[in-house]
Amino acid sequence: MLGNADQYLDWIVGGIVLKKYLKNYLKRWLKIFPRLYKCTEKALFYKRNYSFIKCMKNREKSPAIIYFGVPNHTNLGDQAQTYCTFIWLNENFPNRKIYSYHSGQVAFGIVSYLKKYVLSDDLIFIQSGYNTTDLYMAEEKMHREVIQAFPENRIVIMPQTVFFENISEQKHTEKIYNSHKKLIFFARDNVSYKKAKEMFPCIHVSLYPDIVTSLIGNRHYSNQRNGILLCVRNDKESAISKSEVLR
């Protein structure tokens, strides 16, 4: 308890000095912390991805396939895209080894390591799906980084749906894609094909069906069918509203 005015004044002054010291200490720490965090994050990333980097470092010098966009989530549609693409790649490029990476690895900087070991005659493929969009920027950012990182390689973007809400993001994508001289872009529906042709006049754009349709006819079931089941999305990829479904 403060007994007199002098003690109270000392307490106030001491508090001000302490506050100033803490403020300066925090300022210094906040300058150091981002750098420390970045170094720690980089070290952890390298440790987690060492096997992927080592695999490329010790690769054979024959042409290979570098595949970006393997899903690391539980969406079965995206998993099916990768499953069917790998079948297609092995059928059409049986003599090329496939090295695959997911978009999270790209986001944390694996491309800077891979650039040292990718050969000019390696083929680069990017995962198909609803990825050329600003609805999910992780995949689109992956597209942009890969395209910019490998200007001398043939890059094939597997069948995509194309949609942008933000015109600045669309323009940014257009600039990067059109700057690549060896880029092939596949659109998986007519709307996306027309949009892609408008956006990418400097690259090769083709209409190609969703690669998961390659599974049609591969499986046969003996159970009897009765009626039709309609499945409708209820997330931001849905093209129709709930009221339209119920109508």
Side-chain angles (χ1 to χ4, degrees):
M1 188 173 179
L2 301 175
N4 55 50
D6 289 336
Q7 287 179 314
Y8 181 73
L9 184 61
D10 290 342
W11 180 75
I12 291 292
V13 172
I16 292 171
V17 171
L18 179 62
K19 184 177 179 181
K20 187 176 181 179
Y21 170 79
L22 288 174
K23 186 176 180 180
N24 290 333
Y25 176 80
L26 285 172
K27 278 184 177 180
R28 288 197 299 272
W29 174 246
L30 288 173
K31 287 180 181 178
I32 297 170
F33 180 75
R35 295 196 292 270
L36 181 63
Y37 176 79
K38 192 172 183 179
C39 290
T40 305
E41 188 179 57
K42 191 172 183 179
L44 289 172
F45 167 80
Y46 189 83
K47 183 180 179 182
R48 285 194 298 266
N49 293 277
Y50 176 73
S51 60
F52 290 94
I53 296 168
K54 184 180 179 182
C55 189
M56 277 292 286
K57 187 177 180 179
N58 298 329
R59 60 169 290 184
E60 298 175 0
K61 296 306 178 183
S62 56
I65 289 173
I66 318 298
Y67 186 85
F68 290 101
V70 173
N72 59 341
H73 50 75
T74 56
N75 184 302
L76 290 180
D78 290 336
Q79 298 290 344
Q81 298 283 342
T82 302
Y83 173 76
C84 294
T85 301
F86 276 20
I87 292 174
W88 185 86
L89 289 174
N90 283 307
E91 287 177 350
N92 290 277
F93 304 97
N95 298 321
R96 289 187 182 238
K97 187 171 181 179
I98 301 173
Y99 299 90
S100 58
Y101 306 91
H102 60 75
S103 57
Q105 290 174 303
V106 175
F108 281 100
I110 201 168
V111 168
S112 62
Y113 294 100
L114 299 182
K115 285 174 69 174
K116 304 172 187 176
Y117 312 114
V118 171
L119 306 178
S120 59
D121 51 358
D122 285 339
L123 295 176
I124 296 175
F125 285 82
I126 295 178
Q127 164 88 354
S128 54
Y130 196 168
N131 298 326
T132 308
T133 180
D134 54 0
L135 296 180
Y136 309 105
M137 284 303 297
E139 281 68 29
E140 177 52 30
K141 286 180 178 179
M142 174 192 68
H143 291 191
R144 295 171 182 177
E145 183 167 351
V146 170
I147 290 169
Q148 290 177 301
F150 303 104
E152 301 304 319
N153 291 85
R154 171 70 68 193
I155 299 178
V156 179
I157 300 181
M158 297 300 280
Q160 298 287 320
T161 295
V162 183
F163 176 76
F164 284 88
E165 289 184 322
N166 189 315
I167 191 64
S168 63
E169 292 292 353
Q170 179 179 315
K171 293 296 182 184
H172 191 34
T173 292
E174 289 175 2
K175 183 178 179 181
I176 293 173
Y177 284 40
N178 284 314
S179 68
H180 200 286
K181 305 303 181 185
K182 298 181 179 180
L183 178 61
I184 296 175
F185 186 95
F186 289 120
R188 64 180 182 177
D189 59 83
N190 282 313
V191 173
S192 294
Y193 174 68
K194 291 176 182 177
K195 182 71 173 178
K197 290 289 283 185
E198 293 173 2
M199 289 177 62
F200 313 129
C202 300
I203 66 173
H204 180 84
V205 176
S206 289
L207 182 62
Y208 195 90
D210 190 308
I211 198 162
V212 179
T213 59
S214 62
L215 291 177
I216 295 174
N218 288 349
R219 294 179 179 271
H220 302 279
Y221 303 94
S222 58
N223 54 303
Q224 190 174 10
R225 293 181 59 176
N226 182 19
I228 298 173
L229 175 65
L230 174 65
C231 296
V232 181
R233 299 188 70 123
N234 63 354
D235 61 6
K236 57 186 174 183
E237 288 189 34
S238 179
I240 56 176
S241 66
K242 186 177 179 180
S243 60
E244 288 175 311
V245 173
L246 298 174
R247 194 165 55 199

